[in-house]
Amino acid sequence: MNKLRILVANEPAPLGGVEAWRVFWPLTLLERTYGDYLQITYSRGNIFPHEFFQHDILFCCRPCDESHTRTLRAAKSHGLKIIIDFDDNFLNVPYGHADFKYLAFAKKPVLECLALADAVWVTTPALKEVYGAHSKNCVIIPNAILPEELPDEPTGFNGFAMWRGAHAHVEDLWTWRSQYEQILKRIKQFLFIGYMPSWAEKKTEATVNFLLWVETQEWFQSLRSMRPCAIWKPLMPAAINDAKSCIAFLEATIAGGLCVTNYAGKPGWELAWKELPKKDSDFENGWRNAAEHVREHYDLRAWNEVRYRELLKLVNG
């Protein structure tokens, strides 16, 4: 049997968070699991014409500009099947979004890429509603982890909480600034990673620190070593956030802690908490429930089986 050859139109470096969750972590495991049947090649920037002849499928994560459109057109002209993957709602970016001046121009190329794609993979039901309106083959494949990434025991309440993200979340943080102030009354140390608003340095008994960056490939290990009892994920109510995947919940569970978000209870956030628990025992019991939920619903091996079946359906018709 000839191997199914997949060309990934996302460069391995620099390794961003979404690309790790949607491309490199799952596809690396996929090739290791089905290596007798799959061959995955990662582009290193410009794709040369001969590379299209050497592959059966083009995979592209988050196509949102004219360079992606040109690449997909070229792949289509060479007879490749095309899969595009989204973890964000690029068709509904609010005016106040920190990256609006860039993403405002994404709608046209995104729609063009959707028209060229043979399959669209998304992370949430809300994203399927958005992109499925433009594709007859839109499949939900959530972000997932290997169960062995989870610790054996919960962190428990240790007075340390954190937030991780970029300046794109400035409105999310500002909207829920009052909750941040409440969290500071309960904990001893708070850490911002990637971005920190100036107002977060207000005088408080809690120690507030900032870390510019943690390499993506080291992130899980860092979570296990830092062991926050909670990861805060404030989200301003908006269409772009309604479709957001639960990466923060998965990361909090990997750390042995809880995810605190105003979206708690919504799809993907069922086992998150709306506020920091008042009882120490809730940190342990909440984590155990979350860990069981992750094992049952977010097992990367199980979701990679879905990926493999979808690949076979795409090429076999």
Side-chain angles (χ1 to χ4, degrees):
M1 176 181 177
N2 292 329
K3 288 187 178 183
L4 184 60
R5 300 164 300 173
I6 302 167
L7 177 60
V8 178
N10 295 86
E11 295 184 64
L15 184 58
V18 173
E19 289 79 8
W21 281 96
R22 299 307 297 168
V23 184
F24 302 107
W25 290 338
L27 295 191
T28 297
L29 179 65
L30 190 71
E31 188 173 31
R32 288 175 180 169
T33 305
Y34 300 101
D36 291 339
Y37 310 102
L38 297 178
Q39 176 183 312
I40 299 176
T41 305
Y42 298 93
S43 72
R44 300 188 179 278
N46 292 328
I47 300 175
F48 296 98
H50 72 270
E51 295 181 84
F52 292 118
F53 288 113
Q54 295 171 342
H55 295 88
D56 307 296
I57 293 175
L58 181 86
F59 178 92
C60 186
C61 177
R62 306 174 96 192
C64 58
D65 62 38
E66 291 297 333
S67 67
H68 295 129
T69 306
R70 290 193 298 270
T71 298
L72 266 61
R73 284 200 201 102
K76 182 67 73 174
S77 70
H78 285 81
L80 276 70
K81 297 291 186 180
I82 296 172
I83 300 172
I84 57 177
D85 186 288
F86 291 101
D87 188 40
D88 287 291
N89 185 349
F90 286 149
L91 298 181
N92 292 282
V93 181
Y95 292 111
H97 194 283
D99 288 332
F100 179 80
K101 64 180 179 180
Y102 306 110
L103 296 178
F105 300 100
K107 188 169 185 177
K108 182 176 180 288
V110 167
L111 290 173
E112 291 176 350
C113 289
L114 285 165
L116 289 165
D118 297 286
V120 181
W121 293 355
V122 297
T123 51
T124 69
L127 282 179
K128 183 172 182 178
E129 286 187 25
V130 172
Y131 293 115
H134 305 277
S135 172
K136 295 180 180 179
N137 186 17
C138 188
V139 181
I140 299 172
I141 302 178
N143 292 313
I145 66 170
L146 295 174
E148 54 264 34
E149 297 283 2
L150 297 173
D152 295 329
E153 297 293 333
T155 297
F157 180 69
N158 61 3
F160 171 47
M162 61 182 288
W163 177 91
R164 180 183 73 91
H167 77 289
H169 298 285
V170 61
E171 279 200 313
D172 296 322
L173 289 165
W174 178 260
T175 301
W176 292 95
R177 177 177 176 175
S178 61
Q179 186 177 46
Y180 169 72
E181 293 171 352
Q182 291 299 313
I183 290 173
L184 290 185
K185 295 177 181 178
R186 177 85 164 93
I187 57 95
K188 298 177 181 178
Q189 183 179 5
F190 195 97
L191 174 66
F192 284 91
I193 299 178
Y195 169 78
M196 177 176 168
S198 57
W199 49 260
E201 294 183 282
K202 62 174 293 180
K203 291 183 179 180
T204 173
E205 291 185 8
T207 301
V208 179
N209 293 316
F210 173 65
L211 185 61
L212 184 61
W213 185 245
V214 175
E215 292 295 335
T216 303
Q217 56 268 37
E218 299 172 1
W219 179 231
F220 283 3
Q221 183 57 43
S222 296
L223 281 171
R224 286 190 291 267
S225 62
M226 289 189 289
R227 297 302 292 266
C229 66
I231 290 181
W232 183 45
K233 186 63 177 179
L235 293 167
M236 180 185 71
I240 193 169
N241 284 337
D242 291 343
K244 191 169 290 294
S245 68
C246 60
I247 287 177
F249 166 71
L250 295 174
E251 292 178 345
T253 311
I254 290 171
L258 304 179
C259 178
V260 176
T261 175
N262 54 295
Y263 269 49
K266 294 187 177 185
W269 306 97
E270 295 90 346
L271 273 293
W273 291 66
K274 281 192 177 294
E275 58 185 32
L276 210 61
K278 292 181 172 59
K279 295 192 300 183
D280 291 1
S281 59
D282 285 340
F283 285 88
E284 297 185 11
N285 296 331
W287 177 83
R288 294 186 194 282
N289 292 334
E292 185 59 32
H293 185 73
V294 168
R295 293 187 188 99
E296 185 175 349
H297 298 284
Y298 297 99
D299 185 330
L300 182 56
R301 291 188 182 89
W303 284 109
N304 264 1
E305 289 181 16
V306 176
R307 283 185 171 91
Y308 184 61
R309 290 198 300 269
E310 291 299 320
L311 289 169
L312 294 181
K313 282 167 55 179
L314 195 61
V315 294
N316 295 330

